[in-house]
C-alpha cells in the first residue's frame, strides 16, 4: 500500500514550458486535491475532484488544469510556466469523513 | 468568509517548556477542525481532528466556539516536536480543507 505517490520530486522549468505533475493513490479514495505551498502563505487549493470525471476549481486555479479519468490518478498540468508558479505542490486524497493522506510533494522552480 | 489564521510564523521554546500554537477560524456554521504536522523532509500528516478528542504525541486541542479558536497544546515540549504545524478547517458538506499559514515550532535543547 503506497498511499499517495507524486512524481517528479523536483523539476526546473523555463518560462513558457509545460509539464504535468503526476499523482496516484491506491487507497480507493473518492476525493483528490492539489495544493501549492508557499512560505508564509500556507497551503492553497488549486483544484480538487470528488470522483472520476468530476473536477472543480479551488482558490488558485489560474495557470493550471487537471483531469480525473480514473479513481487512482489526478494529474496537474501547467501549460505555460511562469515564475509565480515556483512552489511546492502537494497532492492529497481522502474519503469524505476522513483526514487527508498527502503525497511527498513536488518542488518546482520556474526560471 | 471562511478563513484560518495562525498568528505566529515561528514559535521557539526550550525542551520541557509548555507549548501553545494558536489557531483562530472564521466560519458561520459548525466547523470541523484539524491539526496537520510536517516534520523536516517528510510529508504532511494528520496530527489531530477535533471530533475525535484524542491526544496524539502528547498534543491536545480543544475547540472553543465562543472564541472561534482551536489552539494546539502540549505541556512539555520535546526536541522531536520541532516541525511545521498547520491548522485546517473543513466546511460542512465538502471534503476541502482550508489551511492556515502554518507555524514553525522550534524546540531548543
Amino acid at each position: 500500500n503506497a498511499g499517495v505517490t507524486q512524481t517528479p520530486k523536483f523539476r526546473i522549468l523555463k518560462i513558457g514550458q509545460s509539464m504535468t505533475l503526476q499523482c496516484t493513490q491506491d487507497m480507493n479514495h473518492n476525493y483528490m486535491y492539489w495544493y501549492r505551498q508557499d512560505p508564509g502563505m500556507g497551503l492553497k487549493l488549486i483544484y480538487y475532484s470528488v470522483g472520476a470525471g468530476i473536477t472543480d476549481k479551488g482558490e488558485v486555479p489560474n495557470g493550471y488544469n487537471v483531469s480525473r479519468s480514473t479513481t487512482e490518478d489526478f494529474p496537474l498540468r501547467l501549460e505555460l510556466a511562469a515564475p509565480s508558479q515556483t512552489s511546492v505542490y502537494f497532492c492529497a486524497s481522502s474519503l469524505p469523513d476522513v483526514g487527508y493522506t498527502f503525497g511527498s510533494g513536488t518542488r518546482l522552480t520556474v526560471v | 468568509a471562511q478563513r484560518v489564521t495562525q498568528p505566529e510564523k515561528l514559535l521557539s521554546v526550550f525542551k520541557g517548556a509548555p507549548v501553545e500554537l494558536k489557531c483562530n477560524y472564521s466560519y458561520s456554521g459548525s466547523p470541523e477542525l484539524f491539526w496537520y504536522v510536517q516534520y523536516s523532509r517528510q510529508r504532511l500528516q494528520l496530527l489531530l481532528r477535533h471530533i475525535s478528542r484524542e491526544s496524539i504525541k502528547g498534543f491536545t486541542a480543544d475547540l472553543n466556539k465562543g472564541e472561534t479558536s482551536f489552539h494546539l497544546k502540549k505541556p512539555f515540549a520535546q526536541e522531536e516536536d520541532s516541525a511545521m504545524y498547520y491548522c485546517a478547517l473543513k466546511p460542512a458538506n465538502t471534503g476541502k480543507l482550508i489551511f492556515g499559514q502554518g507555524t514553525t515550532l522550534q524546540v531548543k535543547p
Side-chain angles (χ1 to χ4, degrees):
Chain A
N1 189 333
V4 178
T5 302
Q6 285 184 241
T7 56
K9 292 194 185 307
F10 304 95
R11 183 73 186 268
I12 298 174
L13 277 184
K14 294 185 177 178
I15 295 171
Q17 286 186 320
S18 63
M19 76 165 293
T20 299
L21 283 67
Q22 303 290 346
C23 177
T24 299
Q25 54 93 7
D26 61 358
M27 298 170 287
N28 205 31
H29 285 175
N30 309 76
Y31 291 17
M32 295 188 75
Y33 317 84
W34 275 105
Y35 284 84
R36 57 178 288 172
Q37 181 187 41
D38 300 298
M41 302 293 289
L43 283 81
K44 301 291 186 186
L45 182 64
I46 305 171
Y47 270 95
Y48 68 101
S49 169
V50 299
I54 306 169
T55 62
D56 209 346
K57 295 178 181 178
E59 191 179 356
V60 290
N62 291 344
Y64 307 95
N65 276 300
V66 293
S67 59
R68 185 95 183 269
S69 57
T70 66
T71 300
E72 294 78 19
D73 299 307
F74 190 43
L76 178 72
R77 178 87 178 158
L78 284 71
E79 289 294 349
L80 291 169
S84 60
Q85 293 178 305
T86 293
S87 188
V88 181
Y89 292 84
F90 285 100
C91 179
S93 72
S94 75
L95 292 171
D97 293 318
V98 178
Y100 285 13
T101 299
F102 280 88
S104 55
T106 296
R107 187 174 295 274
L108 175 67
T109 303
V110 182
V111 296
Chain B
Q2 300 164 350
R3 188 168 54 243
V4 177
T5 302
Q6 294 178 249
E8 303 141 327
K9 282 190 176 180
L10 172 67
L11 182 63
S12 187
V13 302
F14 285 102
K15 177 182 171 182
V19 169
E20 182 178 56
L21 289 89
K22 292 184 170 25
C23 172
N24 290 92
Y25 66 90
S26 173
Y27 181 64
S28 57
S30 289
E32 188 170 355
L33 287 151
F34 303 79
W35 277 98
Y36 282 81
V37 60
Q38 186 178 28
Y39 300 103
S40 179
R41 297 190 176 84
Q42 294 187 28
R43 63 189 71 193
L44 282 111
Q45 55 189 284
L46 178 65
L47 181 63
L48 282 177
R49 56 189 304 198
H50 89 273
I51 59 172
S52 63
R53 300 188 65 82
E54 294 175 288
S55 173
I56 305 291
K57 299 185 178 183
F59 284 99
T60 59
D62 289 318
L63 177 61
N64 186 323
K65 291 186 178 180
E67 295 182 359
T68 60
S69 68
F70 188 56
H71 302 328
L72 184 68
K73 299 177 183 179
K74 185 169 183 177
F76 307 104
Q78 303 299 315
E79 289 181 66
E80 55 265 30
D81 296 328
S82 296
M84 173 74 87
Y85 291 81
Y86 287 99
C87 182
L89 165 74
K90 187 162 85 76
N93 302 317
T94 174
K96 295 184 288 184
L97 285 178
I98 299 167
F99 285 87
Q101 302 93 321
T103 298
T104 299
L105 174 64
Q106 183 183 74
V107 182
K108 296 179 285 190

